[in-house]
Amino acid sequence: MVSFILNEQLIHTEHATGSTVLDYIRYYKRLVGTKIGCREGDCGACTILVGDFENEKLVYRSMTSCLLPLGNAHGKHILSVEGINQPCLQNSQAAGRQDMKELSPVQQAIVDTNGTQCGFCSIGFVMSLTGFILNEARKQYDDAIAAIDGNICRCTGYKSIERAAAIISEKINDRPEAETIAWLVEQKFIPDYFLQIKDRLIQLREIINKASKVLNPDLQKLKLAGGTDLIVQKALAVKKAEVHLLFDDHRLLQINFENGQCHIGAAVTLTTFAESKLIQGFFPDLQHYIKLISSTPIRNMATMAGNLVNASPIGDMSIFFLALDSELLLNKNGVNRTIKLKDFYKGYKQIDKATDEIIEKIIFTPPQKNHFNFEKVSKRTHLDIASVNTACQLNVNNDGSIDKIHLSAGGIAPFPKYLAATVSFLKGKTINAGILKEAIAVMNSEIVPISDVRGTKEYKRLLLRQLFLAHFKNHNGIIGQLLGK
């Protein structure tokens, strides 16, 4: 049984855990404000907010409900557009009705700036901006624009929506960082029932925890975390499966630093990874890298291990962790083993993992500051899949020779590629234009790009060459020498 709070209603359902929240709220609860668009997490029309506890604090994240398994709503607050409006008491009484609602300030700002035409995409913008005002750490205009980055509009034009974002960010300038929800209720941004949600969720989780102690977990269930790609590829199979959710397994949600190594839980999301102060300390340019990867709602759902197991040849986090020379901790019925990530990929969509084995942790030794770089080129700068991506970890001795280097690249092989031959060639060499030119020749010998919708094989070779050189951009003069010849 899945139990959660939908807007202000407590839900207990035996509905399939692998079905989507989108289908449940539209077809079974008849809350049709949430729209069906692409069903791939790209358009944002189905965006909802999910309230969950992070470090004992109730936090709301925007998510695309078309890719959110119903089982992942368990013990959470699911907020659709129908749940953000205040009762319109005066007009309701005049009309003799009980169900009339006032527009929220977010909705009103979009109306006032002519931010909607057909209205189909408007729900996604409304919910993403509502998520923005609920985030106590975000209240600037740039934060509001970042919050709507997963929403596509094809008739209104974004400038009117941007003007609405400016109005909203200005209205919450006085919002305190503590007691955010209480202030928002007082200012009529959200309904009064939000004041009870935290206590209601705590009570619900106590009931869930007691019930879980008498259940015997079925090890044959499909183990699913974010599912942001699996549900796109195999939606019907996931819906029919008995799903065991890893998203709420607290053992897999931790980020720790132990004995000089960083341990990332398999179910840690990209957002949690990017917001970790520990991780930010290791990667000064992390926020720039993360903006190149998907959209805010998808990053709020997608997990670290999910990206690795998917084995996409252009998986961004796969390339990121390959350049860290990471290893994986896998568990099969209580028996652990470790494997280097560079040995994990065996071919196209082929990985060294048994069906009943799961990744528990990603482990790596943090790079020295400013000695790690991630590059990506796609048809659009943001919100797009890479044509080619690459990452590099580099340590240089005082004499200019390379002490340690790890290189990875995507889009140039059937799987995420650790560039072993290029690494072997460069180690111990002194960085200069001649050496990098020779390294490019070695690199070209170990990649096998193909022509597809993201570019010809010749174009991908050229891209990788340029992105490889970008890893050395801090070595003054060398890149200019190469590009000028």
Side-chain angles (χ1 to χ4, degrees), residues 238-303:
V238 174
K239 182 177 181 178
K240 290 181 176 180
E242 285 294 322
V243 176
H244 170 62
L245 284 307
L246 302 177
F247 206 72
D248 293 324
D249 188 333
H250 292 286
R251 297 177 302 112
L252 306 180
L253 294 171
Q254 306 300 314
I255 299 177
N256 298 312
F257 187 68
E258 304 172 9
N259 301 320
Q261 290 187 309
C262 193
H263 296 244
I264 310 295
V268 167
T269 64
L270 266 73
T271 295
T272 302
F273 181 79
E275 291 182 352
S276 167
K277 298 299 182 184
L278 177 68
I279 300 301
Q280 290 174 6
F282 298 143
F283 304 99
D285 295 325
L286 182 64
Q287 295 310 310
H288 169 70
Y289 303 152
I290 290 297
K291 285 182 180 180
L292 298 175
I293 302 173
S294 193
S295 65
T296 296
I298 298 300
R299 291 194 296 266
N300 288 341
M301 305 164 66
T303 63

Side-chain angles (χ1 to χ4, degrees), residues 162-224:
E162 290 173 3
R163 288 193 291 271
I167 291 172
I168 294 162
S169 56
E170 184 176 348
K171 283 185 175 182
I172 64 168
N173 272 339
D174 297 330
R175 186 196 62 192
E177 290 193 6
E179 302 298 328
T180 293
I181 288 179
W183 186 88
L184 291 172
V185 168
E186 181 182 345
Q187 301 298 318
K188 306 298 183 183
F189 279 92
I190 53 178
D192 295 354
Y193 76 83
F194 270 80
L195 295 172
Q196 286 78 47
I197 291 296
K198 183 175 181 179
D199 290 338
R200 291 179 65 189
L201 284 180
I202 291 173
Q203 294 171 9
L204 176 60
R205 291 187 171 211
E206 289 176 352
I207 295 171
I208 290 172
N209 288 336
K210 288 179 182 178
S212 65
K213 292 178 180 178
V214 300
L215 298 176
N216 293 319
D218 182 0
L219 295 177
Q220 299 305 311
K221 289 182 178 180
L222 171 67
K223 295 177 175 65
L224 180 67

Side-chain angles (χ1 to χ4, degrees), residues 202-442:
I202 291 173
Q203 294 171 9
L204 176 60
R205 291 187 171 211
E206 289 176 352
I207 295 171
I208 290 172
N209 288 336
K210 288 179 182 178
S212 65
K213 292 178 180 178
V214 300
L215 298 176
N216 293 319
D218 182 0
L219 295 177
Q220 299 305 311
K221 289 182 178 180
L222 171 67
K223 295 177 175 65
L224 180 67
T228 54
D229 202 48
L230 180 64
I231 293 175
V232 174
Q233 297 176 16
K234 300 181 179 181
L236 186 59
V238 174
K239 182 177 181 178
K240 290 181 176 180
E242 285 294 322
V243 176
H244 170 62
L245 284 307
L246 302 177
F247 206 72
D248 293 324
D249 188 333
H250 292 286
R251 297 177 302 112
L252 306 180
L253 294 171
Q254 306 300 314
I255 299 177
N256 298 312
F257 187 68
E258 304 172 9
N259 301 320
Q261 290 187 309
C262 193
H263 296 244
I264 310 295
V268 167
T269 64
L270 266 73
T271 295
T272 302
F273 181 79
E275 291 182 352
S276 167
K277 298 299 182 184
L278 177 68
I279 300 301
Q280 290 174 6
F282 298 143
F283 304 99
D285 295 325
L286 182 64
Q287 295 310 310
H288 169 70
Y289 303 152
I290 290 297
K291 285 182 180 180
L292 298 175
I293 302 173
S294 193
S295 65
T296 296
I298 298 300
R299 291 194 296 266
N300 288 341
M301 305 164 66
T303 63
M304 296 290 110
N307 193 261
L308 306 187
V309 169
N310 187 37
S312 167
I314 45 177
D316 291 313
M317 295 312 296
S318 301
I319 300 307
F320 188 96
F321 284 116
L322 276 170
L324 293 170
D325 197 29
S326 304
E327 63 181 14
L328 306 179
L329 175 66
L330 295 99
N331 184 307
K332 180 178 180 180
N333 301 328
V335 179
N336 291 335
R337 71 178 176 102
T338 59
I339 183 174
K340 285 285 189 179
L341 181 58
K342 61 188 177 185
D343 299 324
F344 188 61
Y345 299 110
K346 299 300 183 183
Y348 179 69
K349 294 288 183 175
Q350 297 176 7
I351 54 177
D352 186 355
K353 187 185 83 67
T355 303
D356 54 352
E357 196 172 31
I358 68 167
I359 297 175
E360 287 198 347
K361 290 182 180 180
I362 305 162
I363 304 169
F364 64 89
T365 301
Q368 296 181 16
K369 285 187 179 181
N370 300 317
H371 285 221
F372 182 89
N373 189 48
F374 175 81
E375 300 284 345
K376 174 179 176 177
V377 169
S378 49
K379 289 188 174 182
R380 296 188 310 239
T381 302
H382 302 287
L383 309 180
D384 203 359
I385 297 170
S387 294
V388 172
N389 50 10
T390 175
C392 176
Q393 180 184 180
L394 177 67
N395 287 351
V396 181
N397 295 315
N398 292 333
D399 63 0
S401 62
I402 296 175
D403 175 50
K404 180 173 74 172
I405 184 169
H406 295 289
L407 277 166
S408 59
I412 44 75
F415 51 85
K417 178 75 172 176
Y418 181 83
L419 299 173
T422 311
V423 166
S424 178
F425 170 79
L426 283 171
K427 191 170 182 181
K429 300 287 197 311
T430 298
I431 300 174
N432 58 52
I435 289 298
L436 292 185
K437 190 172 182 180
E438 291 182 50
I440 290 169
V442 174

